[in-house]
Amino acid sequence: MSATKMIKAISKTRLLLAAMVAMALLLPATARGAAPGITGPTFNLTAQAAYISQPDGAMIYSWGYGCSSVPSGFAPAAMSGATCSTMQVPGPTLIVTEGQTVTVNLTNNLPNSAGNTSILFPGFQVTASFGVPGLLTREATRNVAAGTIAVRYTFLASSPGTHAYYSGTQSDLQVEMGLYGAIIVLPAAVPANCSTGLAASNLAAKSSWGETDFRLAKAAYDHVKSCYDREYLFQFSEIDPVIHSQAQVQVAARGVNCVATAPTCSLKVATEPYHPAYFLINGRSMPDDMDPNYALEYPHQPYNGNPHMHPGEQVLLRIIGQGRWQHPFHEHGNHVRILGRDGNLIVSQSDANSLAGPLLFTTTTTPGQAMDGIFYWTAKGLNWDAYGHNPNSASANLPCTPDANGYNTSATAAINYYEWCQDHGKPMQTAPFGDVAGGGPVTLPDPNIFANGAWFGGSPYLGPDATVRATGPTGTTPPSGTIANSPTGEAGFAFMWHSHNEREITTNNIFPGGMLMMMLVDSREFVINESN
């Protein structure tokens, strides 16, 4: 490639990235994440075929689990517009409580030629009945009498945390086609400290701005160190469209009425060599994953991947590797502290009251493995006042009273709740970012030279009024000549969360796409609404 072509390619990539980030910041207030699902402890599921969409316009023939009847309930209860179709990718998130006996009834509505299907529940002692014997579990056959259960799985929800479920029948094909989902087990007893002290202050801070609590619980585990303020579920997978198209063609060739047990009715889909072209978070690729949960344009992909938070919130990330590949997912802005894997809390050997999970730069999504981790961001370490407080103006200098850890946590209704007080009132300095050692306030560069182009809002401060606070009433938000949010918009800090395998942030080799989303850290005055 010539130097000229390379420069043009880089410029085009920057423009695409600018457009992508701008879309993230201009999303309507309803496009949030949370961890939506259906409640039990009895679930009536079916396996069926349908098409799922991709940002390049492709409709991919797929198989997925869905609801064969209206579920007993949806969670979180505050979320509106929840549905459960007869086929979705990933399958319905099953939400239960520790100690409950869980029953999953599965019917098989896949094409006759697809043969039997089943569900595995790793980490649980499962009893299976009805159906027929399979290699790994009891399997559901096709064409059972109406009202008859094809196969039933029963197990005790013995351990809190996030777990995977997926097909145990011809898994190289059926999991690839979309037969997988998540189980969230909530702790039976919430630790007392999750309702007092700092946890109570964080909830009061949200309530003071009119935010609703969308958590499934107050803690991820039965442990004092597992309290959280907000949560999101991310299931990572990939699609090889050649495999899906082979299955589609062979199903059509066998016909819908072929006899399921006949040799001429079976599929012979080659699953190797494996060349994925689509990389999914919760069944969607970027930018589709930033549209709302239960959006009508994705009837078989109900769950999004669009995390938001306020500074200081403990954000619980529920992460599952549901594909065949390992995906090194990186959460920009901070490391993730792992609480547990596959429902196994990682506790210190020397102190039962302390956790010992690793602090990860990337959460490597190993196939079949689930993990729970905590992400937080506070502006500590920026070395300037992220809120733009002006020490020379009483009206633009809110109080910052440090707690024992150095944060402003006493005034829960304040815009700067959870500010790192050591940086209070500090202007953004030239050094070490510029050439003048120890110089005064920085002169911001031309936004057009930034990698993100015109997306850069021209302000290093958090909140729609922060630049005016820092520069006085003659300042503007954003500075003239830049393209950014309306002053009444989010004006938050955006961190790109994405796979560190660069090919996986493309959709069919086109950037941006794939395993890519934005974590938006919003100022307190921006209400994060996860109602759908």
Side-chain angles (χ1 to χ4, degrees):
M1 179 183 292
S2 68
T4 301
K5 288 183 177 179
M6 183 176 294
I7 292 171
K8 288 182 178 179
I10 293 171
S11 299
K12 184 178 292 185
T13 298
R14 288 176 172 174
L15 288 173
L16 287 169
L17 181 58
M20 179 269 294
V21 179
M23 281 190 289
L25 295 176
L26 294 175
L27 285 169
T30 56
R32 306 294 173 235
I38 61 176
T39 57
T42 297
F43 303 94
N44 297 312
L45 302 184
T46 182
Q48 293 189 194
Y51 292 84
I52 62 174
S53 66
Q54 292 301 314
D56 61 357
M59 298 296 291
I60 308 295
Y61 175 76
S62 303
W63 302 338
Y65 299 113
C67 293
S68 60
S69 62
V70 177
S72 59
F74 294 90
M79 183 170 286
S80 62
T83 61
C84 185
S85 70
T86 53
M87 183 277 192
Q88 62 179 68
V89 177
T93 298
L94 313 181
I95 301 171
V96 298
T97 301
E98 179 188 14
Q100 287 184 325
T101 297
V102 181
T103 300
V104 178
N105 299 315
L106 175 65
T107 56
N108 183 358
N109 287 305
L110 295 174
N112 281 355
S113 53
N116 297 344
T117 192
S118 62
I119 307 179
L120 297 179
F121 302 91
F124 299 107
Q125 295 293 325
V126 180
T127 300
S129 55
F130 305 108
V132 297
L135 181 63
L136 299 176
T137 186
R138 303 287 294 186
E139 297 182 343
T141 60
R142 284 285 283 127
N143 301 322
V144 297
T148 301
I149 297 171
V151 66
R152 169 175 288 165
Y153 306 101
T154 304
F155 60 90
L156 180 69
S158 52
S159 59
T162 306
H163 306 257
Y165 71 86
Y166 44 84
S167 173
T169 305
Q170 198 178 348
S171 297
D172 61 327
L173 176 61
Q174 293 198 5
V175 174
E176 162 68 26
M177 293 297 290
L179 289 168
Y180 58 84
I183 305 173
I184 295 177
V185 181
L186 308 178
V190 176
N193 66 301
C194 293
S195 300
T196 61
L198 188 57
S201 297
N202 287 350
L203 181 60
K206 288 200 293 186
S207 299
S208 65
W209 291 96
E211 288 195 3
T212 303
D213 186 3
F214 288 91
R215 293 175 297 177
L216 296 176
K218 295 181 180 179
Y221 290 86
D222 302 314
H223 196 280
V224 295
K225 297 293 181 66
S226 68
C227 308
Y228 65 91
D229 304 307
R230 201 178 294 278
E231 69 186 302
Y232 297 97
L233 169 64
F234 304 120
Q235 301 183 66
F236 296 87
S237 63
E238 67 283 334
I239 285 177
D240 183 340
V242 173
I243 295 175
H244 289 245
S245 62
Q246 281 187 54
Q248 181 182 6
V249 169
Q250 292 187 30
V251 165
R254 307 302 190 263
V256 294
N257 296 317
C258 69
V259 179
T261 56
T264 56
C265 193
S266 62
L267 303 181
K268 294 179 174 60
V269 178
T271 56
E272 291 289 349
Y274 190 57
H275 297 295
Y278 298 100
F279 302 93
L280 315 179
I281 302 173
N282 295 339
R284 303 185 194 175
S285 298
M286 191 280 157
D288 296 354
D289 58 6
M290 295 191 292
D291 284 334
N293 288 299
Y294 306 112
L296 296 178
E297 59 266 38
Y298 312 110
H300 303 293
Q301 299 150 278
Y303 304 141
N304 75 4
N306 189 35
H308 286 238
M309 65 176 294
H310 296 304
E313 290 181 337
Q314 302 287 303
V315 181
L316 174 65
L317 306 184
R318 303 179 181 274
I319 300 169
I320 307 178
Q322 295 283 27
R324 292 170 60 180
W325 279 6
Q326 189 177 69
H327 304 290
F329 196 80
H330 177 53
E331 296 87 353
H332 277 274
N334 205 349
H335 289 55
V336 175
R337 172 70 71 186
I338 300 301
L339 301 178
R341 292 189 176 99
D342 296 322
N344 298 298
L345 189 66
I346 305 174
V347 181
S348 168
Q349 289 185 343
S350 59
D351 180 7
N353 291 320
S354 298
L355 300 183
L359 194 62
L360 298 184
F361 179 72
T362 60
T363 49
T364 302
T365 58
T366 302
Q369 185 181 78
M371 68 181 83
D372 299 296
I374 294 291
F375 175 91
Y376 74 98
W377 186 91
T378 64
K380 179 181 179 180
L382 290 183
N383 202 33
W384 78 84
D385 189 330
Y387 300 84
H389 292 116
N390 189 337
N392 299 317
S393 171
S395 62
N397 190 18
L398 299 174
C400 190
T401 304
D403 61 15
N405 295 313
Y407 294 104
N408 182 44
T409 58
S410 58
T412 57
I415 290 173
N416 64 327
Y417 175 76
Y418 231 103
E419 178 186 1
W420 173 242
C421 291
Q422 184 172 310
D423 287 343
H424 183 77
K426 285 185 181 179
M428 188 175 182
Q429 301 293 313
T430 304
F433 308 104
D435 298 325
V436 181
V442 71
T443 299
L444 296 175
D446 180 347
N448 292 316
I449 71 171
F450 273 62
N452 289 346
W455 162 70
F456 174 63
S459 172
Y461 303 115
L462 183 68
D465 300 321
T467 299
V468 174
R469 252 196 319 273
T471 62
T474 58
T476 59
T477 306
S480 60
T482 63
I483 302 171
N485 293 321
S486 160
T488 59
E490 294 178 56
F493 289 176
F495 295 110
M496 185 186 296
W497 285 13
H498 63 96
S499 171
H500 259 179
N501 181 334
E502 292 185 359
R503 182 168 177 259
E504 295 178 359
I505 57 174
T506 68
T507 292
N508 208 5
N509 290 323
I510 301 299
F511 175 85
M515 292 177 174
L516 180 62
M517 57 186 171
M518 303 299 296
M519 162 58 88
L520 297 183
V521 181
D522 295 307
S523 184
R524 293 280 165 181
E525 60 263 58
F526 183 84
V527 174
I528 300 175
N529 178 8
E530 294 170 330
S531 62
N532 65 8

